[in-house]
Amino acid sequence: MTFERAAKAEDAVLDYADGPEACRAFASRNERELAAWSKTQPPIPYAYPQDDNVLGAPWGKLTSGVSATYDLMLASLLPHFGAQLRADSPALVVSWPWQVPLGPAFTCSRRRGSFTMRDFRSHRLLVEPGIIAGQRGVGVFVRPAYRFLYHPSDWVVGAGGGVGSTFELTGNREPPRPSLSPEAVIQFGHCCEASYFTLAMRFDRFFAGENRSILWGSLGFTFF
């Protein structure tokens, strides 16, 4: 899929491209347009830097940085909430799935009038620490995984899946143990602006312990 499209009427401030080749061409065109635009701009005189003080202290840089990246901070700090079915009894799951996008951009966008490109990369590496609380006690786990998400520019819902291994480290009256953990994922949001809600449904097949087959799901706010 290698085509570029203009945004619909309801989001007319964005232009999109779908497919790795189209995104590379879009990025190259963006660089050329930025270089041409820069040549038309007048020189900027040097401005002596001033302290950005708030209440007598240089809090301005901190507050401006937080306001510019609030969605990234929220996605990194807010937990995902879910539930597990362990031996026919439910358990609460709280986790923090941190992911790193890899590979070429599959979908990309640019706001009209700007030269800032937003990329959506389908391949991700995931590390998810978390806590399980239920009738069998409280446990701690970490789940490394690979995830793939398909989310074209004209979809408001993306879909994908992945595979990983949940390492239950302690608690739940089980020994430390790994699992084989496939998942199905649905992503809610409009590509390629950051910030989505992600629903993950998983099945864990553990290699040791009493309860070896566990179903669970979680929902939370993600940046990518």
Side-chain angles (χ1 to χ4, degrees), residues 5 21 41-42 45 82 121 131-132 165 209-211:
R5 71 174 181 88
E21 293 182 9
Q41 302 306 302
R121 302 178 187 275
I131 301 170
I132 307 166
S165 180
E210 180 181 349
N211 298 308

Side-chain angles (χ1 to χ4, degrees), residues 201-219:
M201 302 297 295
R202 294 172 181 155
F203 172 75
D204 275 305
R205 179 61 182 175
F206 286 94
F207 303 111
E210 180 181 349
N211 298 308
R212 299 196 180 190
S213 297
I214 296 177
L215 292 172
W216 60 299
S218 63
L219 176 67

Side-chain angles (χ1 to χ4, degrees), residues 1-6 16-26 29 104-108 150 152-153:
M1 186 186 306
T2 58
F3 67 89
E4 183 179 328
R5 71 174 181 88
Y16 303 97
D18 286 285
E21 293 182 9
C23 281
R24 284 192 290 268
F26 196 1
R29 193 188 80 191
F106 179 82
T107 307
C108 51
Y150 180 76
S153 60

Side-chain angles (χ1 to χ4, degrees), residues 17-96:
D18 286 285
E21 293 182 9
C23 281
R24 284 192 290 268
F26 196 1
S28 297
R29 193 188 80 191
N30 184 69
E31 291 179 3
R32 293 194 300 270
E33 292 175 354
L34 175 58
W37 177 84
S38 299
K39 292 179 180 179
T40 66
Q41 302 306 302
I44 301 175
Y46 176 77
Y48 190 82
Q50 300 290 334
D51 286 338
D52 189 3
N53 288 338
V54 176
L55 300 176
W59 293 103
K61 292 182 179 180
L62 176 62
T63 56
S64 62
V66 170
S67 63
T69 60
Y70 74 93
D71 49 356
L72 176 59
M73 295 186 65
L74 287 176
S76 300
L77 299 177
L78 289 178
H80 290 211
F81 293 95
Q84 279 189 352
L85 188 62
R86 304 177 68 91
D88 298 326
S89 63
L92 174 68
V93 179
V94 181
S95 65
W96 291 263

Side-chain angles (χ1 to χ4, degrees), residues 101-106 121-123:
L102 301 172
F106 179 82
R121 302 178 187 275
S122 295
H123 303 278

Side-chain angles (χ1 to χ4, degrees), residues 53-222:
N53 288 338
V54 176
L55 300 176
W59 293 103
K61 292 182 179 180
L62 176 62
T63 56
S64 62
V66 170
S67 63
T69 60
Y70 74 93
D71 49 356
L72 176 59
M73 295 186 65
L74 287 176
S76 300
L77 299 177
L78 289 178
H80 290 211
F81 293 95
Q84 279 189 352
L85 188 62
R86 304 177 68 91
D88 298 326
S89 63
L92 174 68
V93 179
V94 181
S95 65
W96 291 263
W98 298 315
Q99 53 186 333
V100 179
L102 301 172
F106 179 82
T107 307
C108 51
S109 67
R110 182 184 71 177
R111 289 190 175 274
R112 293 182 184 176
S114 81
F115 300 100
T116 302
M117 298 283 295
R118 304 293 184 188
D119 295 336
F120 183 87
R121 302 178 187 275
S122 295
H123 303 278
R124 290 103 188 278
L125 293 180
L126 184 78
V127 176
E128 181 175 6
I131 301 170
I132 307 166
Q135 295 180 0
R136 299 176 62 84
V138 177
V140 177
F141 73 90
V142 62
R143 181 180 182 271
Y146 163 79
R147 176 180 288 176
F148 177 86
L149 278 169
Y150 180 76
H151 200 151
S153 60
D154 53 353
W155 289 18
V156 294
V157 176
V163 64
S165 180
T166 301
F167 290 86
E168 289 194 343
L169 304 177
T170 183
N172 293 302
R173 289 185 282 178
E174 298 285 1
R177 57 181 187 162
S179 76
L180 178 63
S181 177
E183 68 174 2
V185 182
I186 299 176
Q187 184 182 64
F188 304 92
H190 201 284
C191 185
C192 297
E193 296 297 310
S195 304
Y196 306 89
F197 283 93
T198 301
L199 173 66
M201 302 297 295
R202 294 172 181 155
F203 172 75
D204 275 305
R205 179 61 182 175
F206 286 94
F207 303 111
E210 180 181 349
N211 298 308
R212 299 196 180 190
S213 297
I214 296 177
L215 292 172
W216 60 299
S218 63
L219 176 67
F221 179 69
T222 56

